[in-house]
Amino acid sequence: MSKPTSYLRLPHAQDCDCSVCWSRREMAKHAPSPSTRCAQCRPASARPIRTLQMGRVGGAWKPLVSDWTVEPAFICEKHTLPDRPAKWWSVAYQDSTSAPSEQFPF
């Protein structure tokens, strides 16, 4: 089915509510993702506290063995995942010997 090129290039009205314009408006809205970390959350980090052995690597002295301190990650309560999946994640088990029913027709 061929559409005239003049139809394809028509501008949309300001108050157009078609799916294309609606999608464009929704994508323009900034909604923070639940996975976006806040100021309280911090990633894990490790840094050397003492160098135990140095060596020449590629003509430059580099630490070969060090003692490290590890700071564990902290995730605030808002971003902590629940212990178990939400209720709607539960899946009904049906093996090949089960008969289809009204509730599970598959």
Side-chain angles (χ1 to χ4, degrees):
M1 178 176 173
S2 168
K3 294 184 180 179
T5 56
S6 61
Y7 172 78
L8 295 174
R9 302 201 193 296
L10 287 176
H12 292 248
Q14 286 287 7
D15 59 344
C16 180
D17 202 27
C18 73
S19 61
V20 174
C21 293
W22 180 85
S23 298
R24 224 177 255 149
R25 281 193 306 272
E26 289 299 310
M27 293 300 290
K29 293 179 182 176
H30 183 323
S33 169
S35 63
T36 304
R37 302 290 184 226
C38 62
Q40 294 176 349
C41 299
R42 70 170 185 271
S45 64
R47 55 187 168 88
I49 54 172
R50 166 175 58 220
T51 302
L52 302 175
Q53 184 180 356
M54 296 284 286
R56 287 184 68 88
V57 178
W61 286 97
K62 304 259 180 166
L64 299 177
V65 180
S66 300
D67 280 342
W68 291 75
T69 180
V70 177
E71 195 172 318
F74 175 77
I75 300 173
C76 72
E77 188 177 334
K78 176 183 167 190
H79 294 112
T80 303
L81 296 175
D83 291 337
R84 49 187 274 192
K87 286 183 180 179
W88 51 268
W89 276 63
S90 62
V91 178
Y93 174 75
Q94 184 175 11
D95 61 4
S96 60
T97 60
S98 301
S101 65
E102 191 72 30
Q103 189 177 6
F104 302 109
F106 46 89

